[in-house]
Amino acid sequence: MQSSPASPSMPVSTNKTPAIKNAILFGNGLMRTLGSPSSPDLLKQTICSRPCGECAGSYCPFTEEKDCLPFPLIYEYLILKEQKQYQEKNMRAISAMMREKLKKQLERFTPQNHPESVLHALADLRADDYLTTNYDTFLHRILELRDYEQAASQNSETKYSIRRHVLMRKQETSHSCRLWNIHGTYNDRPDSFTIQYGYEHYCGCIGKIDNYLKGTYTYQLRKKEISIPPMYKKLQDDKLRKGESWIDLFFFSNVHILGLNLSPEEIDLLYILNLRSRWLRDPKIKNRIRNRIVFYGQPTNAVKALLKQFSVEVRSSSPKPPGKNAEKQAYENYYKRVLKVIKSGMQQSGN
């Protein structure tokens, strides 16, 4: 997939460049502070219907670590296997059943039961945008506890989450922020299957992202078709930046990433970072990309090397992040330190 080149006659806007805002992208690592399981463990607890040991003699994605699939493919493997046990159900019905299981499991971890958790500290950062790969709406509820009100929402998408978000505003301070569940939420209306867990959904999402970046993405608003201009042109002309999607933030806002491995499974996010890095090498527009992408954590050597080529700043912490079997207190202590670093960086940048 290649980007469409801009027209040679396309003028560069002479208007004053908008101020760079701050966005926070967080993953399941922060939920580990509440005792939430890892993504593979969540699959094991909710979708795998067989007790451990019952698969003896056949492949088990949870016991053969050296022969393990990426978790989106573990999901596909399990859900297809599950359908064989319930052949009277179609895949849509199976997906709905699995989503209900995920919802019940995730609802055990509520922010109200953890008033001093890092999720509350996350809300105190007062970022302009919050993006999460998680499926819950806990941050929404935390902001409501802080007297924020939902001022607007965009939830017309029934499967993908390119534009889906809510706008939260606190009248007392006039602060507002947008919340983006970029992989969907488990509690959308019954006819909406937005949870992005398997490769079927991931690959479809990449297609939508590619359309959005190239300028072939359209949607309906009050029975009128809206077309999105190519990102290439948005970079050249500030007037075209409407902020319809979280995708824009990777080009126009400082994005701070925490609690997310950015491992190869996150192929949708890596695709955006890859294309951004290519445009940073394009002499026509490289000076128009002024935002920073900062990753907080201790990635593997391979991922760290890749992020460097993607022009992502890696802030490796000391001590290292907790291991996958660590207690929730270890996660909480670690992420509190990371959030202090992010807050300091945001203050120094004047936002």
Side-chain angles (χ1 to χ4, degrees), residues 17 58 100-101 117 137 149 223 268 290 294 298 340:
T17 304
S58 61
E100 188 61 27
K101 288 184 177 181
S117 75
T137 55
E149 296 179 352
K223 298 183 179 180
D268 50 351
R290 303 183 302 112
V294 188
Q298 197 81 30
K340 285 182 179 179

Side-chain angles (χ1 to χ4, degrees), residues 299-322:
T300 63
N301 290 335
V303 172
K304 187 174 182 178
L306 181 64
L307 292 179
K308 182 179 180 180
Q309 295 307 317
F310 283 173
S311 299
V312 173
E313 301 173 36
V314 177
R315 295 283 184 88
S316 297
S317 55
S318 180
K320 294 181 179 181

Side-chain angles (χ1 to χ4, degrees), residues 137 140 150 152-167 179-181 184-185 187-194 217 219-221 244:
T137 55
H140 187 161
Q150 182 173 314
S153 67
Q154 171 54 259
N155 63 351
S156 61
E157 295 166 287
T158 57
K159 183 173 182 178
Y160 300 105
S161 301
I162 302 301
R163 295 173 291 106
R164 181 189 310 277
H165 71 277
V166 297
L167 173 66
L179 311 182
W180 308 80
N181 283 79
T185 58
N187 59 350
D188 279 321
R189 58 187 186 277
D191 62 337
S192 177
F193 289 81
T194 66
Y217 181 92
Y219 66 95
Q220 296 287 328
L221 180 64
E244 295 98 337

Side-chain angles (χ1 to χ4, degrees), residues 67-336:
D67 187 26
C68 192
L69 297 167
F71 80 81
L73 283 180
I74 294 177
Y75 173 88
E76 298 292 355
Y77 171 82
L78 292 175
I79 200 170
L80 290 169
K81 192 174 183 180
E82 198 75 13
Q83 200 275 332
K84 287 185 178 179
Q85 294 185 339
Y86 300 94
Q87 295 189 15
E88 73 280 3
K89 296 181 182 291
N90 58 30
M91 290 305 298
R92 187 177 179 86
I94 292 291
S95 295
M97 182 171 69
M98 297 309 171
R99 186 180 65 171
E100 188 61 27
K101 288 184 177 181
L102 285 169
K103 177 180 178 180
K104 289 181 179 179
Q105 178 72 0
L106 291 170
E107 284 186 335
R108 294 170 50 204
F109 310 100
T110 60
Q112 291 89 334
N113 296 336
H114 304 269
E116 302 300 323
S117 75
V118 294
L119 294 172
H120 291 262
L122 184 71
D124 290 336
L125 288 177
R126 292 168 57 87
D128 301 289
D129 291 272
Y130 289 93
L131 298 76
T132 181
T133 55
N134 299 341
Y135 311 113
D136 59 76
T137 55
F138 293 161
L139 186 58
H140 187 161
R141 288 187 243 172
I142 288 172
L143 288 171
E144 287 180 330
L145 292 174
R146 283 163 158 66
D147 298 324
Y148 280 78
E149 296 179 352
Q150 182 173 314
S153 67
Q154 171 54 259
N155 63 351
S156 61
E157 295 166 287
T158 57
K159 183 173 182 178
Y160 300 105
S161 301
I162 302 301
R163 295 173 291 106
R164 181 189 310 277
H165 71 277
V166 297
L167 173 66
M168 304 295 291
R169 179 174 293 126
K170 187 172 184 176
Q171 296 294 340
E172 181 182 346
T173 61
S174 299
H175 177 251
S176 62
C177 59
R178 293 179 298 180
L179 311 182
W180 308 80
N181 283 79
I182 65 176
H183 286 176
T185 58
Y186 60 67
N187 59 350
D188 279 321
R189 58 187 186 277
D191 62 337
S192 177
F193 289 81
T194 66
I195 290 182
Q196 184 171 310
Y197 229 113
Y199 264 20
E200 181 272 337
H201 206 154
Y202 269 80
C203 293
C205 183
I206 291 175
K208 296 290 184 180
I209 291 172
D210 188 56
N211 291 340
Y212 188 91
L213 291 168
K214 288 182 177 178
T216 58
Y217 181 92
T218 61
Y219 66 95
Q220 296 287 328
L221 180 64
R222 291 187 285 274
K223 298 183 179 180
K224 180 182 178 182
E225 186 171 86
I226 306 297
S227 298
I228 302 296
M231 184 61 68
Y232 207 94
K233 290 186 178 180
K234 288 182 182 180
L235 288 167
Q236 293 179 314
D237 189 349
D238 301 338
K239 294 179 181 178
L240 297 177
R241 305 178 190 179
K242 306 297 183 183
E244 295 98 337
S245 171
W246 56 269
I247 299 169
D248 293 296
L249 302 175
F250 283 86
F251 297 88
F252 307 122
S253 293
N254 294 327
V255 181
H256 305 268
I257 305 172
L258 71 157
L260 187 65
N261 287 331
L262 278 186
S263 54
E265 290 89 345
E266 305 294 354
I267 190 170
D268 50 351
L269 297 173
L270 293 173
Y271 173 67
I272 296 172
L273 293 174
N274 181 50
L275 191 54
R276 177 180 179 271
S277 68
R278 287 174 175 265
W279 284 342
L280 279 168
R281 291 162 171 79
D282 186 329
K284 293 181 180 178
I285 57 172
K286 65 179 183 179
N287 293 330
R288 304 291 294 172
I289 303 177
R290 303 183 302 112
N291 67 322
R292 299 165 58 213
I293 312 292
V294 188
F295 178 90
Y296 299 84
Q298 197 81 30
T300 63
N301 290 335
V303 172
K304 187 174 182 178
L306 181 64
L307 292 179
K308 182 179 180 180
Q309 295 307 317
F310 283 173
S311 299
V312 173
E313 301 173 36
V314 177
R315 295 283 184 88
S316 297
S317 55
S318 180
K320 294 181 179 181
K324 63 179 181 179
N325 297 319
E327 297 293 328
K328 64 180 183 179
Q329 187 62 48
Y331 283 101
E332 185 166 345
N333 293 338
Y334 170 73
Y335 284 116
K336 281 183 177 179

